[in-house]
Amino acid sequence: MSIRFTAKARRGMVALTVAVGLAIGVAGCGGGGDEKKPDTSASASKGSGSNPSAQEGQSQTPMVELQGQDGLLLQITSAQRDSGGFVTVNGTLKNDGAKSVVVPPQTSGNETEIIKNGPSLGGATLVDSKGKKRYYVLRDTDGRPLTTTGLGNMEAGQSLPVFMQFPSPPEGTTDVSIQVPTFSSGTIKISG
């Protein structure tokens, strides 16, 4: 079964999830048992079907292509600023190689809080060279990164839609560099 949401609906759901998570965290009612299951949906809204659809990730011409190890390719298709104060970056992770590869664990970054939530793109950053600031992937109140998670083995030719959410740079900042560990970096333009 596949549930598809528009980009606007997905952002709204993630913003609502983050707001609810913050309210729970402030009230001191957070916590609970974490399941350690792989999940390619938004970590903050596990199981809600808020991950980007294959159509969103593949229907657009890439803004930039980041080369990775062993034939991995990360194509960034959009970077959308919204009124919630964050930027959502969408794209497609592809295995352009001739054999099966494992997404390198370094893509999760090196922060213990993110690593304990499994393989992800949690190590990604946006760099505003004019403002001299680096923006890290957002996390929910349980420390889960707001990015595609559950990355592992990719068969030759396989593609996966992916997303990452970051705090929004100032309104006047549109060109930023995106960096993901083990991939080349590239410049993207933030819209919205």
Side-chain angles (χ1 to χ4, degrees):
M1 181 167 130
S2 175
I3 300 175
R4 294 181 188 225
F5 291 94
T6 65
K8 187 173 183 177
R10 183 179 69 252
R11 285 192 302 272
M13 288 185 66
V14 171
L16 177 63
T17 303
V18 170
V20 169
L22 288 173
I24 290 172
V26 169
C29 299
D34 272 325
E35 299 115 39
K36 299 291 183 190
K37 297 188 286 187
D39 186 6
T40 57
S41 67
S43 295
S45 53
K46 262 189 187 225
S48 69
S50 64
N51 59 321
S53 70
Q55 180 180 0
E56 288 172 348
Q58 296 173 351
S59 66
Q60 301 174 7
T61 303
M63 298 168 72
V64 68
E65 292 185 342
L66 310 179
Q67 295 290 329
Q69 301 173 349
D70 300 322
L72 288 176
L73 180 67
L74 179 57
Q75 297 177 319
I76 304 300
T77 54
S78 69
Q80 182 72 38
R81 184 190 321 264
D82 64 31
S83 60
F86 54 90
V87 170
T88 302
V89 176
N90 289 301
T92 303
L93 181 61
K94 289 180 156 185
N95 177 359
D96 270 355
K99 61 182 181 174
S100 175
V101 296
V102 174
V103 176
Q106 295 92 329
T107 61
S108 298
N110 59 8
E111 295 181 40
T112 306
E113 193 69 24
I114 291 179
I115 293 171
K116 77 177 187 179
N117 289 290
S120 70
L121 297 174
T125 58
L126 292 181
V127 178
D128 171 10
S129 56
K130 274 187 173 178
K132 296 183 169 80
K133 291 194 178 183
R134 180 179 300 268
Y135 299 90
Y136 294 87
V137 168
L138 291 167
R139 288 167 232 161
D140 68 11
T141 55
D142 291 326
R144 294 181 298 234
L146 298 182
T147 182
T148 305
T149 60
L151 302 175
N153 192 50
M154 291 188 70
E155 298 300 323
Q158 183 179 0
S159 295
L160 296 171
V162 296
F163 80 99
M164 299 159 268
Q165 289 188 320
F166 302 91
S168 180
E171 281 293 324
T173 302
T174 56
D175 292 338
V176 293
S177 174
I178 184 163
Q179 300 176 347
V180 180
T182 74
F183 285 83
S184 59
S185 62
T187 300
I188 59 174
K189 186 174 284 296
I190 299 172
S191 60

